[in-house]
Amino acid sequence: MVKVGVVAVQGDFLEHIQALRELSGVEPVVVKSARDLSDVDALVIPGGESTTIGSLMRVKGLDAAIVDLAERGIPIMGTCAGAIILAKRVVDRVVGETGQFLLSLMDIAVVRNAFGRQRESFTTDVYVDGVGKVRAIFIRAPAIVEAWGEARILAYVDHYSSGKVGAVAIERNLLTTTFHPELSGDLKIYEYLLSMAKR
Ligand code: GLN
């Protein structure tokens, strides 16, 4: 069994656990403390509110433990708010600098709430390099506006107000999606994460 941890401090971690249950050979692990990370083969940081997830991670001592996992080469996928937390540079479309806590593990710049408010949420197909067509649900999503160093954008979304911006990025063992794979029933991104765990 491949053990996939899901950070469970805030946001839609239950939906990720349910999605992971659909995959054969996968055992989802609820991660609330650093102890829960001891034997995971991959990790998911879910969507939700990135400021809240970031501060709770810090309170629970998960931040250092996740940085340690990343350095050990364990695949980590951040989705939506999770993508924000993995990024090195973050601004909000409206308020600019947020000063929020970040793990700052990936050489990417993201704009929070890049597509507008909740009512501007949308669903579309994105083409992910190495994966193919993926159904993508964007909910108050960030946009990946820059990748440097070893980070690479694997998928773009073309939006009427923000133009063409990054939706998926990868840097070695770190993967981000600005959409919600746990809500679409399309499991291809999880399969990709699992393939990274086997490398
Ligand atoms: N807008 C949220 C944030 O900036 C992310 C939204 C989400 O994860 N669905 O933290």
Side-chain angles (χ1 to χ4, degrees), residues 112-189:
R112 283 178 68 187
N113 303 306
F115 307 101
R117 295 166 181 262
Q118 187 82 19
R119 64 168 183 272
E120 269 105 40
S121 299
F122 61 101
T123 303
T124 188
D125 287 335
V126 295
Y127 292 85
V128 184
D129 196 9
V131 178
K133 187 169 87 173
V134 173
R135 196 81 186 136
I137 301 177
F138 294 84
I139 304 170
R140 292 201 308 120
I144 303 166
V145 292
E146 204 186 328
W148 63 94
E150 284 184 65
R152 234 170 17 101
I153 294 178
L154 294 184
Y156 290 89
V157 58
D158 206 349
H159 186 261
Y160 72 93
S161 75
S162 357
K164 193 177 166 194
V165 290
V168 178
I170 190 165
E171 180 176 339
R172 297 187 309 272
N173 54 320
L174 307 173
L175 182 69
T176 60
T177 76
T178 61
F179 52 85
H180 287 264
E182 75 284 10
L183 299 178
S184 63
D186 185 335
L187 300 171
K188 290 197 268 314
I189 287 287

Side-chain angles (χ1 to χ4, degrees), residues 46-51 79-82 84 92 112-113 139-142 180:
E49 184 54 47
S50 59
T51 48
T79 63
C80 205
I84 295 168
D92 183 274
R112 283 178 68 187
N113 303 306
I139 304 170
R140 292 201 308 120
H180 287 264

Side-chain angles (χ1 to χ4, degrees), residues 6 20 24-25 44-45 54 66 70 80 91 97 107 122 139 160 164 166 168 176 186 188 190 196:
V6 180
L20 286 163
S24 63
V44 174
I45 306 175
I66 294 173
C80 205
V91 291
E97 292 298 331
D107 284 346
F122 61 101
I139 304 170
Y160 72 93
K164 193 177 166 194
V168 178
T176 60
D186 185 335
K188 290 197 268 314
Y190 293 102
M196 289 163 66

